[in-house]
């Protein structure tokens, strides 16, 4: 289950968005389950807001629907200046809580770029599925050490190091250190999303 503060519970938001996007595409739960690799029962629970999916489950669903990750966790639009208080931000975590992602942008506007704060506990690893073709990740480490595996490539980044890579293949973020790592990620899509 995703770990989220009660004030920013994503389960009902993801559920509403999933149902809307799935029905817009004329997909049954069964067809989406086959396309995404997420069980029909889990998809049903997510749509009803009874289950908060992990980051990996949201990525699988987004990939199957050919939409950006953020489309599943977006809320209604606002205009003007956006202040995104840390305490009210949307945070998603891996099933064990060792990896978390905080969106640093509003979801409800057309965009090609998304900005995230990522945190990875000491000795933890997060596996990411391939993103749509043309997706680029630009990541900078601000605390700790992070290893990035992309296919056969292996890179070690320390504090202040940055990497830019095509994210259309499965990749891994790993923290080999004894302290938590903090990263900032700019994700750029080939086409406008949102």
């Amino acid at each position: 289950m995703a770990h989220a503060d009660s004030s920013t519970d994503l389960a009902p938001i993801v559920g509403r968005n999933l149902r809307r996007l799935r029905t817009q595409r004329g997909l049954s739960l069964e067809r989406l389950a086959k396309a995404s690799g997420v069980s029909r029962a889990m998809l049903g629970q997510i749509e009803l807001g009874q289950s908060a999916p992990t980051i990996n489950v949201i990525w699988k669903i987004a990939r199957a629907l050919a939409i950006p990750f953020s489309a599943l966790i977006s809320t209604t639009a606002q205009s003007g200046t956006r202040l995104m208080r840390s305490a009210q931000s949307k945070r998603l975590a891996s099933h064990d809580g060792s990896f978390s992602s905080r969106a640093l942008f509003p979801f409800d506007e057309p965009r090609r770029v998304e900005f995230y704060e990522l945190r990875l506990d000491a000795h933890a690893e997060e596996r990411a599925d391939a993103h749509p073709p043309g997706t680029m990740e630009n990541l900078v480490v601000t605390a700790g050490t992070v290893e990035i595996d992309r296919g056969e490539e292996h890179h070690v980044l320390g504090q202040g190091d940055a990497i830019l890579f095509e994210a259309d293949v499965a990749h891994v973020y790993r923290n080999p250190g004894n302290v938590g790592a903090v990263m900032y990620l700019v994700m750029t899509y080939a086409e406008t999303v949102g």
Side-chain angles (χ1 to χ4, degrees):
M1 303 266 307
H3 302 279
D5 298 333
S6 59
S7 63
T8 58
D9 188 12
L10 289 174
I13 295 167
V14 172
R16 283 190 301 270
N17 289 332
L18 174 56
R19 181 179 298 254
R20 177 179 49 82
L21 293 163
R22 178 181 61 79
T23 56
Q24 282 175 353
R25 285 160 176 74
L27 291 173
S28 66
L29 284 173
E30 189 66 36
R31 283 181 55 204
L32 181 56
K34 287 179 183 172
S36 67
V38 177
S39 74
R40 182 189 185 287
M42 175 59 83
L43 291 171
Q45 289 177 351
I46 293 168
E47 282 194 2
L48 294 172
Q50 296 173 343
S51 179
T54 63
I55 292 171
N56 282 336
V57 168
I58 291 176
W59 277 119
K60 287 179 181 181
I61 295 168
R63 205 173 65 236
L65 292 171
I67 58 171
F69 176 88
S70 59
L72 288 167
I73 58 177
S74 66
T75 55
T76 30
Q78 292 180 342
S79 60
T81 301
R82 306 279 180 98
L83 177 59
M84 294 169 277
R85 300 264 184 219
S86 178
Q88 298 169 338
S89 63
K90 295 175 185 169
R91 297 173 197 265
L92 291 175
S94 59
H95 69 283
D96 64 359
S98 65
F99 177 78
S100 67
S101 171
R102 176 170 68 116
L104 302 174
F105 63 95
F107 293 98
D108 46 13
E109 300 170 352
R111 66 196 168 279
R112 289 188 59 219
V113 177
E114 296 175 346
F115 183 39
Y116 296 93
E117 175 187 69
L118 307 177
R119 293 181 177 269
L120 187 59
D121 289 349
H123 307 291
E125 175 178 288
E126 178 66 14
R127 295 183 173 275
D129 290 331
H131 302 304
T135 303
M136 299 293 293
E137 288 195 16
N138 190 349
L139 182 133
V140 62
V141 176
T142 60
T145 301
V146 177
E147 296 177 351
I148 305 285
D149 292 343
R150 181 194 171 274
E152 298 299 315
E153 297 175 22
H154 177 79
H155 305 278
V156 179
L157 289 80
Q159 184 174 344
D161 291 341
I163 188 170
L164 174 69
F165 63 93
E166 294 177 19
D168 56 359
V169 298
H171 45 285
V172 178
Y173 310 95
R174 186 178 305 105
N175 180 349
N178 294 323
V179 297
V182 178
M183 302 158 274
Y184 288 89
L185 170 66
V186 175
M187 180 113 47
T188 307
Y189 295 97
E191 298 180 14
T192 300
V193 296

